[in-house]
């Protein structure tokens, strides 16, 4: 069964450094998402992406964040200058569509744990 | 405000006992409600959704619009049901999921 994959599984970085988190969505999916979960807190939506542009973003997704689909398979989240509070588990998800009774299930990757020191 | 509330952080039951994981929501409109499950060291995966009206692994959930609830139930818990359970919603235009805090279900032998 196809799965969303994410690399790396764990990223440790120094405050102020740039990080890129990578995701490979399921191949026939068209909608892509990033979520994050700070330890002990709820899973929070960051951004959704469709047709090579952001379709929705949350208040968390400020100018320090960007997303890109550099080729036909990867979907990346970049944090330009990491802060301590960016430490979290970052989940990528994809769906065939955003709307539809049986096609909009979001499939999640295993997550990347980002630790900012 | 769009919000999902799961009041219990941890629910501990014995094998064979009934289970009910509570979920209440706040949304102006007609949301779609979901339950996601995360087993130990595995990814989040969809357990069930209200529009499907189906039972998965013995779990059911009924959307109660009057009480704005979507509680997850199982009549006889099994040890393999031990996991984190997240209630979530999307708006009627689909898109982003709004999650509750999650409830850890622990089923003891």
């Amino acid at each position: 069964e196809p799965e969303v994959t994410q690399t790396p599984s764990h990223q440790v970085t120094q405050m102020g450094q740039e990080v890129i988190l990578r995701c490979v969505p399921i191949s026939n999916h068209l909608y892509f998402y990033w979520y994050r979960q700070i330890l002990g807190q709820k899973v929070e939506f960051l951004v959704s992406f469709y047709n090579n542009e952001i379709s929705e973003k949350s208040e968390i997704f400020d100018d320090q964040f960007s997303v890109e689909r550099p080729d036909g398979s990867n979907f990346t989240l970049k944090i330009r200058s990491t802060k301590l509070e960016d430490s979290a588990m970052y989940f990528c998800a994809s769906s065939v569509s955003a709307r539809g009774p049986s096609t909009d299930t979001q499939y999640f990757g295993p997550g990347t744990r980002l630790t900012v020191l | 405000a769009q919000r999902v509330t799961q009041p219990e952080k941890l629910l501990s039951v014995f094998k064979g006992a009934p289970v009910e994981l509570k979920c209440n929501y706040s949304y102006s409109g007609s949301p779609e409600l979901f339950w996601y499950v995360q087993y130990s060291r595995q990814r989040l995966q969809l357990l069930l959704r209200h529009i499907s009206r189906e039972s998965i692994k013995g779990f059911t959930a009924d959307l109660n619009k009057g009480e704005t609830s979507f509680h997850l139930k199982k009549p006889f818990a099994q040890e393999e049901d031990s996991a984190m359970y997240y209630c979530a919603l999307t708006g009627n235009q689909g898109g982003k999921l709004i999650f509750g805090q999650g409830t850890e279900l622990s089923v003891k032998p």
Side-chain angles (χ1 to χ4, degrees):
Chain A
E1 186 175 326
E3 289 185 330
V4 176
T5 59
Q6 290 185 245
T7 54
S9 57
H10 191 190
Q11 173 91 46
V12 181
T13 190
Q14 295 290 326
M15 189 169 57
Q17 295 296 304
E18 174 183 287
V19 294
I20 297 176
L21 310 183
R22 290 182 167 80
C23 168
V24 178
I26 295 173
S27 62
N28 64 330
H29 286 187
L30 301 176
Y31 288 79
F32 315 116
Y33 308 84
W34 283 102
Y35 295 84
R36 78 170 186 192
Q37 186 176 32
I38 295 170
L39 189 63
Q41 298 186 23
K42 61 175 66 177
V43 177
E44 301 172 290
F45 167 77
L46 291 178
V47 66
S48 58
F49 191 86
Y50 168 70
N51 200 24
N52 278 321
E53 60 184 29
I54 291 173
S55 46
E56 187 176 4
K57 60 183 181 179
S58 72
E59 294 172 352
I60 303 167
F61 194 88
D62 61 22
D63 293 343
Q64 292 299 312
F65 291 88
S66 62
V67 289
E68 195 178 30
R69 189 153 163 82
D71 53 42
S73 60
N74 289 284
F75 178 51
T76 62
L77 175 69
K78 183 194 292 186
I79 309 175
R80 287 192 187 79
S81 178
T82 50
K83 307 184 190 75
L84 296 176
E85 53 265 37
D86 293 328
S87 294
M89 182 73 91
Y90 288 80
F91 295 104
C92 174
S94 69
S95 64
V96 173
S97 73
R99 177 66 182 160
S102 61
T103 58
D104 61 346
T105 297
Q106 290 185 28
Y107 293 85
F108 282 78
T112 293
R113 181 167 299 285
L114 176 65
T115 301
V116 182
L117 302 175
Chain B
Q2 304 170 10
R3 188 168 59 246
V4 176
T5 304
Q6 294 178 249
E8 303 133 331
K9 286 189 78 170
L10 173 65
L11 187 61
S12 186
V13 301
F14 286 102
K15 177 183 170 182
V19 168
E20 183 179 49
L21 289 84
K22 290 186 166 48
C23 172
N24 287 88
Y25 67 91
S26 172
Y27 187 83
S28 54
S30 298
E32 287 194 46
L33 274 294
F34 305 83
W35 277 98
Y36 275 81
V37 61
Q38 187 173 32
Y39 300 102
S40 178
R41 285 187 283 279
Q42 294 187 29
R43 66 188 66 205
L44 275 163
Q45 54 187 282
L46 180 67
L47 180 62
L48 54 79
R49 56 199 301 164
H50 88 268
I51 59 172
S52 306
R53 297 183 161 273
E54 55 187 345
S55 171
I56 306 291
K57 300 185 180 183
F59 285 98
T60 59
D62 291 316
L63 180 62
N64 185 323
K65 292 185 180 179
E67 295 183 358
T68 58
S69 68
F70 188 57
H71 303 326
L72 183 68
K73 299 176 184 177
K74 184 168 183 176
F76 308 104
Q78 303 299 314
E79 289 179 68
E80 54 266 29
D81 296 329
S82 296
M84 280 295 295
Y85 290 79
Y86 295 94
C87 184
L89 68 78
T90 65
N92 53 11
Q93 297 302 313
K96 70 181 180 188
L97 285 164
I98 298 169
F99 284 89
Q101 294 270 38
T103 297
E104 182 183 354
L105 175 64
S106 174
V107 182
K108 299 186 187 322

